Coordinates of all heavy atoms in Angstrom, one line a residue:
M18 N 192.5 169.3 26.5 CA 191.3 168.6 27.0 C 191.7 167.2 27.6 O 191.2 166.8 28.6 CB 190.3 168.4 25.8 CG 189.0 167.7 26.2 SD 188.0 168.9 27.1 CE 186.5 167.9 27.2
K19 N 192.6 166.5 26.8 CA 193.0 165.2 27.3 C 193.7 165.3 28.7 O 193.6 164.5 29.5 CB 193.8 164.5 26.3 CG 193.1 163.9 25.1 CD 194.0 163.2 24.2 CE 193.3 162.6 23.1 NZ 194.2 161.8 22.2
K20 N 194.5 166.3 28.8 CA 195.3 166.5 30.0 C 194.3 166.8 31.2 O 194.5 166.2 32.3 CB 196.2 167.7 29.8 CG 197.2 167.9 30.9 CD 198.2 169.0 30.6 CE 199.2 169.2 31.7 NZ 200.2 170.3 31.4
W21 N 193.3 167.6 31.0 CA 192.3 167.8 32.0 C 191.6 166.6 32.4 O 191.3 166.3 33.6 CB 191.3 168.9 31.6 CG 190.4 169.3 32.6 CD1 190.6 170.2 33.6 CD2 189.0 168.9 32.8 NE1 189.5 170.3 34.4 CE2 188.5 169.5 33.9 CE3 188.2 168.0 32.0 CZ2 187.2 169.3 34.3 CZ3 186.9 167.8 32.5 CH2 186.4 168.4 33.6
L22 N 191.2 165.7 31.4 CA 190.5 164.5 31.7 C 191.4 163.5 32.5 O 190.9 162.9 33.4 CB 190.0 163.8 30.4 CG 188.8 164.5 29.7 CD1 188.6 163.8 28.4 CD2 187.6 164.4 30.6
R23 N 192.7 163.5 32.1 CA 193.6 162.6 32.9 C 193.8 163.1 34.3 O 193.9 162.3 35.2 CB 194.9 162.5 32.2 CG 194.9 161.6 31.0 CD 196.3 161.4 30.5 NE 196.2 160.8 29.2 CZ 197.0 161.1 28.2 NH1 198.0 162.0 28.4 NH2 196.9 160.6 27.0
K24 N 193.8 164.4 34.4 CA 194.1 165.0 35.8 C 192.9 164.7 36.7 O 193.1 164.4 37.9 CB 194.3 166.5 35.6 CG 194.5 167.2 36.9 CD 194.7 168.7 36.7 CE 194.9 169.4 38.0 NZ 194.9 170.9 37.8
N25 N 191.7 164.6 36.2 CA 190.5 164.4 37.0 C 189.9 163.0 36.9 O 188.8 162.8 37.3 CB 189.4 165.5 36.6 CG 189.9 166.9 37.0 OD1 190.5 167.1 38.0 ND2 189.7 167.8 36.0
M26 N 190.7 162.1 36.3 CA 190.2 160.8 36.1 C 189.7 160.1 37.4 O 188.7 159.4 37.5 CB 191.2 159.9 35.4 CG 190.8 158.5 35.2 SD 192.1 157.5 34.4 CE 193.5 157.7 35.6
F27 N 190.5 160.3 38.5 CA 190.2 159.6 39.8 C 188.9 160.1 40.3 O 188.1 159.4 41.0 CB 191.3 159.8 40.8 CG 192.5 159.0 40.4 CD1 193.6 159.7 39.9 CD2 192.5 157.6 40.5 CE1 194.8 158.9 39.6 CE2 193.6 156.9 40.2 CZ 194.8 157.6 39.7
Y28 N 188.5 161.4 40.1 CA 187.2 161.9 40.5 C 186.1 161.3 39.8 O 185.0 161.0 40.4 CB 187.2 163.4 40.4 CG 188.1 164.2 41.3 CD1 189.2 164.8 40.8 CD2 187.9 164.2 42.7 CE1 190.1 165.4 41.6 CE2 188.8 164.8 43.5 CZ 189.9 165.5 43.0 OH 190.8 166.1 43.8
Y29 N 186.3 161.0 38.5 CA 185.2 160.3 37.7 C 185.0 158.9 38.2 O 183.9 158.4 38.3 CB 185.6 160.3 36.2 CG 185.6 161.6 35.6 CD1 186.7 162.1 34.9 CD2 184.5 162.5 35.8 CE1 186.7 163.3 34.3 CE2 184.6 163.8 35.2 CZ 185.7 164.2 34.5 OH 185.7 165.4 33.9
I30 N 186.2 158.2 38.5 CA 186.1 156.9 39.1 C 185.4 156.9 40.4 O 184.6 156.0 40.7 CB 187.5 156.3 39.2 CG1 188.1 156.1 37.8 CG2 187.5 155.0 40.0 CD1 189.5 155.7 37.7
G31 N 185.7 157.9 41.3 CA 185.0 158.0 42.6 C 183.5 158.2 42.4 O 182.7 157.7 43.2
V32 N 183.1 159.0 41.4 CA 181.7 159.3 41.2 C 181.0 158.0 40.7 O 179.9 157.6 41.2 CB 181.5 160.4 40.2 CG1 180.1 160.4 39.6 CG2 181.8 161.7 40.8
L33 N 181.6 157.3 39.8 CA 181.0 156.0 39.3 C 180.9 155.0 40.4 O 179.9 154.3 40.6 CB 181.8 155.5 38.1 CG 181.6 156.3 36.8 CD1 182.6 155.8 35.8 CD2 180.2 156.3 36.3
C34 N 182.0 154.8 41.1 CA 182.0 153.8 42.2 C 181.0 154.1 43.3 O 180.3 153.3 43.8 CB 183.4 153.6 42.7 SG 184.5 152.8 41.6
G35 N 181.0 155.4 43.7 CA 180.1 155.8 44.8 C 178.7 155.7 44.4 O 177.8 155.3 45.2
G36 N 178.4 156.1 43.1 CA 177.0 156.0 42.7 C 176.5 154.5 42.6 O 175.4 154.2 43.0
T37 N 177.4 153.7 42.2 CA 177.1 152.2 42.1 C 176.9 151.7 43.5 O 175.9 150.9 43.7 CB 178.2 151.5 41.4 OG1 178.4 152.0 40.1 CG2 177.9 150.0 41.3
V38 N 177.8 152.0 44.4 CA 177.6 151.5 45.8 C 176.3 152.1 46.4 O 175.6 151.4 47.2 CB 178.8 151.9 46.7 CG1 178.6 151.6 48.1 CG2 180.0 151.1 46.2
G39 N 176.0 153.3 46.1 CA 174.8 153.9 46.7 C 173.5 153.2 46.1 O 172.6 153.0 46.9
Y40 N 173.5 152.9 44.9 CA 172.4 152.1 44.3 C 172.3 150.7 44.9 O 171.2 150.3 45.2 CB 172.4 152.1 42.8 CG 171.3 151.3 42.2 CD1 170.0 151.9 42.2 CD2 171.4 150.0 41.8 CE1 168.9 151.2 41.7 CE2 170.3 149.3 41.4 CZ 169.1 149.9 41.3 OH 168.0 149.2 40.9
L41 N 173.4 150.1 45.0 CA 173.4 148.7 45.6 C 173.0 148.7 47.0 O 172.2 147.8 47.5 CB 174.8 148.1 45.5 CG 175.3 147.7 44.1 CD1 176.7 147.3 44.1 CD2 174.3 146.7 43.4
Y42 N 173.3 149.8 47.8 CA 172.8 149.9 49.1 C 171.3 150.1 49.1 O 170.6 149.5 49.9 CB 173.5 151.1 49.8 CG 173.1 151.4 51.2 CD1 173.6 150.6 52.2 CD2 172.1 152.3 51.5 CE1 173.3 150.8 53.6 CE2 171.6 152.4 52.8 CZ 172.2 151.7 53.9 OH 171.8 151.9 55.1
Y43 N 170.8 150.9 48.2 CA 169.3 151.1 48.1 C 168.7 149.7 47.8 O 167.7 149.4 48.4 CB 169.0 152.1 47.1 CG 167.6 152.0 46.6 CD1 166.5 152.5 47.4 CD2 167.2 151.4 45.4 CE1 165.2 152.4 47.0 CE2 165.9 151.3 45.0 CZ 164.9 151.8 45.8 OH 163.6 151.7 45.4
H44 N 169.2 149.0 46.8 CA 168.6 147.8 46.3 C 168.6 146.7 47.3 O 167.6 146.0 47.5 CB 169.3 147.4 45.0 CG 168.7 146.2 44.4 ND1 167.5 146.3 43.8 CD2 169.1 144.9 44.3 CE1 167.1 145.1 43.3 NE2 168.1 144.2 43.6
F45 N 169.7 146.5 48.0 CA 169.8 145.3 48.9 C 169.5 145.6 50.4 O 169.0 144.8 51.1 CB 171.2 144.7 48.8 CG 171.5 144.1 47.5 CD1 172.4 144.6 46.6 CD2 170.8 142.9 47.1 CE1 172.6 144.0 45.4 CE2 171.0 142.3 45.9 CZ 171.9 142.9 45.0
I46 N 169.8 146.8 50.8 CA 169.7 147.1 52.3 C 168.5 148.1 52.5 O 167.9 148.1 53.5 CB 171.0 147.7 52.8 CG1 172.1 146.7 52.7 CG2 170.9 148.1 54.3 CD1 173.5 147.2 53.0
G47 N 168.2 148.9 51.5 CA 167.2 150.0 51.7 C 165.9 149.5 52.1 O 165.5 148.4 51.8
S48 N 165.2 150.3 52.8 CA 163.9 149.9 53.4 C 162.8 150.6 52.5 O 162.9 151.7 52.0 CB 163.8 150.3 54.8 OG 162.8 151.2 55.1
K49 N 161.7 149.9 52.4 CA 160.6 150.5 51.7 C 159.7 151.4 52.5 O 158.8 152.1 52.0 CB 159.7 149.4 51.0 CG 160.5 148.5 50.1 CD 161.1 149.3 48.9 CE 161.9 148.4 48.0 NZ 162.8 149.0 47.2
S50 N 159.8 151.3 53.8 CA 159.1 152.1 54.7 C 159.7 153.5 54.8 O 160.8 153.7 54.4 CB 159.0 151.5 56.1 OG 160.3 151.5 56.7
A51 N 159.0 154.5 55.3 CA 159.5 155.9 55.3 C 160.3 156.1 56.6 O 160.3 157.2 57.1 CB 158.3 156.8 55.2
S52 N 161.0 155.1 57.1 CA 161.7 155.3 58.3 C 163.0 156.1 58.1 O 163.4 156.8 59.0 CB 162.1 153.9 58.9 OG 162.9 153.2 58.1
S53 N 163.6 156.0 57.0 CA 164.8 156.8 56.7 C 164.7 157.4 55.3 O 164.5 156.7 54.3 CB 166.0 155.8 56.8 OG 167.2 156.5 56.4
P54 N 164.9 158.7 55.2 CA 164.9 159.3 53.9 C 166.0 158.9 53.0 O 165.9 159.1 51.8 CB 164.9 160.8 54.2 CG 165.6 160.9 55.5 CD 165.2 159.7 56.2
F55 N 167.1 158.3 53.5 CA 168.3 158.0 52.7 C 168.1 156.7 52.0 O 168.7 156.4 51.0 CB 169.5 157.9 53.6 CG 169.8 159.1 54.3 CD1 169.8 159.2 55.7 CD2 170.1 160.3 53.6 CE1 170.0 160.3 56.4 CE2 170.4 161.5 54.3 CZ 170.3 161.5 55.7
T56 N 167.2 155.8 52.5 CA 167.1 154.4 51.9 C 165.8 154.2 51.2 O 165.6 153.2 50.6 CB 167.2 153.4 53.0 OG1 166.2 153.6 54.0 CG2 168.6 153.4 53.7
T57 N 164.9 155.2 51.2 CA 163.6 155.0 50.5 C 163.6 155.4 49.1 O 162.8 155.0 48.3 CB 162.5 155.8 51.2 OG1 162.8 157.2 51.3 CG2 162.3 155.3 52.7
S58 N 164.6 156.2 48.7 CA 164.6 156.7 47.3 C 166.0 156.3 46.7 O 167.0 156.6 47.3 CB 164.5 158.2 47.3 OG 164.8 158.7 46.0
P59 N 165.9 155.8 45.5 CA 167.2 155.4 44.8 C 168.0 156.6 44.5 O 169.2 156.6 44.5 CB 166.8 154.6 43.6 CG 165.4 155.0 43.3 CD 164.8 155.3 44.6
G60 N 167.4 157.7 44.1 CA 168.1 159.0 43.8 C 168.9 159.5 45.0 O 170.0 159.9 44.8
V61 N 168.3 159.5 46.1 CA 169.0 160.0 47.3 C 170.1 159.1 47.7 O 171.2 159.6 48.0 CB 168.0 160.2 48.5 CG1 168.7 160.6 49.8 CG2 166.9 161.2 48.1
S62 N 169.9 157.8 47.6 CA 171.0 156.8 47.9 C 172.2 157.0 46.9 O 173.3 157.0 47.4 CB 170.5 155.4 47.9 OG 169.5 155.2 48.9
V63 N 171.9 157.1 45.7 CA 172.9 157.3 44.7 C 173.7 158.6 44.9 O 174.9 158.7 44.8 CB 172.4 157.3 43.2 CG1 173.4 157.7 42.2 CG2 171.9 155.8 42.9
L64 N 172.9 159.7 45.2 CA 173.5 161.0 45.5 C 174.5 160.9 46.7 O 175.6 161.4 46.6 CB 172.5 162.1 45.7 CG 173.0 163.5 46.0 CD1 173.6 164.0 44.7 CD2 171.8 164.4 46.4
W65 N 174.0 160.3 47.8 CA 174.9 160.1 48.9 C 176.1 159.3 48.6 O 177.2 159.5 49.1 CB 174.2 159.5 50.1 CG 173.5 160.6 50.9 CD1 172.1 160.8 50.9 CD2 174.1 161.6 51.8 NE1 171.9 161.9 51.7 CE2 173.0 162.4 52.3 CE3 175.3 161.9 52.1 CZ2 173.2 163.4 53.1 CZ3 175.6 162.9 53.0 CH2 174.5 163.7 53.5
G66 N 176.0 158.3 47.8 CA 177.1 157.5 47.3 C 178.1 158.3 46.5 O 179.3 158.1 46.7
V67 N 177.6 159.1 45.6 CA 178.5 160.0 44.8 C 179.3 160.9 45.7 O 180.5 161.1 45.6 CB 177.7 160.8 43.8 CG1 178.4 161.9 43.2 CG2 177.2 159.8 42.7
V68 N 178.6 161.5 46.7 CA 179.2 162.5 47.6 C 180.3 161.8 48.4 O 181.4 162.3 48.5 CB 178.2 163.2 48.5 CG1 178.9 163.9 49.7 CG2 177.3 164.1 47.7
L69 N 180.0 160.6 48.9 CA 181.0 159.8 49.7 C 182.2 159.4 48.8 O 183.3 159.4 49.2 CB 180.3 158.6 50.4 CG 179.5 159.0 51.5 CD1 178.8 157.8 52.1 CD2 180.3 159.7 52.6
G70 N 181.9 159.0 47.5 CA 182.9 158.6 46.6 C 183.9 159.8 46.3 O 185.1 159.6 46.3
L71 N 183.3 160.9 46.1 CA 184.2 162.1 45.9 C 185.0 162.5 47.1 O 186.1 162.9 47.0 CB 183.3 163.3 45.5 CG 182.8 163.3 44.0 CD1 181.9 164.5 43.8 CD2 184.0 163.4 43.1
F72 N 184.4 162.3 48.3 CA 185.1 162.6 49.5 C 186.2 161.7 49.8 O 187.3 162.1 50.1 CB 184.1 162.5 50.7 CG 184.7 162.8 52.0 CD1 185.1 164.1 52.4 CD2 184.8 161.8 53.0 CE1 185.7 164.3 53.6 CE2 185.4 162.0 54.2 CZ 185.8 163.3 54.5
I73 N 186.0 160.4 49.5 CA 187.1 159.4 49.7 C 188.2 159.7 48.7 O 189.4 159.6 49.1 CB 186.5 158.0 49.6 CG1 185.6 157.7 50.8 CG2 187.7 157.0 49.5 CD1 184.9 156.4 50.7
V74 N 187.9 160.0 47.5 CA 188.9 160.2 46.5 C 189.7 161.5 46.8 O 190.9 161.6 46.7 CB 188.3 160.4 45.1 CG1 189.3 160.9 44.1 CG2 187.9 159.0 44.6
S75 N 189.0 162.5 47.3 CA 189.7 163.8 47.7 C 190.6 163.6 48.9 O 191.6 164.3 49.0 CB 188.7 164.9 47.9 OG 188.0 164.7 49.1
I76 N 190.3 162.7 49.7 CA 191.2 162.4 50.9 C 192.5 161.9 50.4 O 193.6 162.3 50.9 CB 190.5 161.5 51.9 CG1 189.4 162.2 52.6 CG2 191.6 160.9 52.9 CD1 188.6 161.2 53.5
F77 N 192.5 160.9 49.5 CA 193.7 160.2 49.0 C 194.4 160.8 47.8 O 195.5 160.4 47.5 CB 193.4 158.7 48.7 CG 193.0 158.0 50.0 CD1 191.6 157.6 50.1 CD2 193.9 157.7 50.9 CE1 191.3 156.9 51.2 CE2 193.5 157.0 52.1 CZ 192.2 156.6 52.2
R78 N 193.7 161.8 47.2 CA 194.3 162.5 46.1 C 195.4 163.4 46.5 O 195.2 164.3 47.3 CB 193.2 163.2 45.3 CG 193.7 163.9 44.1 CD 193.7 162.9 42.9 NE 194.0 163.7 41.7 CZ 194.8 163.3 40.8 NH1 195.4 162.1 40.9 NH2 195.0 164.0 39.7
K79 N 196.5 163.3 45.9 CA 197.7 164.2 46.2 C 197.6 165.5 45.4 O 197.4 165.4 44.2 CB 199.0 163.5 45.9 CG 200.2 164.3 46.2 CD 201.5 163.5 45.9 CE 202.7 164.3 46.1 NZ 203.9 163.6 45.7
E80 N 197.7 166.6 46.0 CA 197.6 167.9 45.4 C 198.9 168.1 44.6 O 200.0 167.8 45.1 CB 197.4 169.0 46.3 CG 196.0 169.1 46.9 CD 195.0 169.4 45.9 OE1 195.2 170.2 45.0 OE2 193.9 168.8 46.0
E81 N 198.8 168.7 43.4 CA 200.0 168.9 42.6 C 200.5 170.3 43.0 O 199.8 171.3 43.1 CB 199.7 168.9 41.1 CG 199.3 167.5 40.7 CD 198.9 167.5 39.2 OE1 199.1 168.5 38.6 OE2 198.4 166.4 38.8
N82 N 201.8 170.4 43.1 CA 202.5 171.7 43.3 C 202.6 172.5 42.0 O 203.0 171.9 41.0 CB 203.8 171.6 44.0 CG 203.7 171.0 45.4 OD1 202.7 171.2 46.0 ND2 204.8 170.3 45.8
K83 N 202.3 173.8 42.0 CA 202.4 174.5 40.8 C 203.6 175.3 40.8 O 204.2 175.8 41.7 CB 201.2 175.5 40.7 CG 199.9 174.7 40.5 CD 198.7 175.6 40.2 CE 197.5 174.8 39.9 NZ 196.4 175.7 39.6

């Protein structure tokens, strides 16, 4: 179990950082009008942040040879 957690640690960090950035984007930049569905709801902003965090981590993560 510990080996699996260590192996996927960077993905967890990407999820946490992405979710935090998504919420901060909603809080400081998001609009209260219905002009954009991405910035009107904190859940959608956090979800997009998580997806982008995972994407960025997966770009820089080196695949292990088996």
Side-chain angles (χ1 to χ4, degrees):
M18 181 78 173
K19 285 185 181 182
K20 189 175 183 180
W21 184 80
L22 287 173
R23 281 191 197 140
K24 182 180 176 185
N25 295 318
M26 179 180 59
F27 290 107
Y28 293 110
Y29 296 127
I30 292 171
V32 166
L33 288 174
C34 291
T37 303
V38 169
Y40 180 76
L41 291 174
Y42 181 82
Y43 162 77
H44 185 71
F45 291 112
I46 299 173
S48 118
K49 301 299 179 200
S50 67
S52 62
S53 173
F55 303 115
T56 59
T57 56
S58 169
V61 174
S62 294
V63 169
L64 182 66
W65 275 106
V67 166
V68 169
L69 288 175
L71 282 173
F72 179 69
I73 290 171
V74 168
S75 69
I76 287 174
F77 294 109
R78 183 83 172 137
K79 182 180 176 183
E80 289 293 325
E81 296 177 8
N82 295 332
K83 291 186 177 185

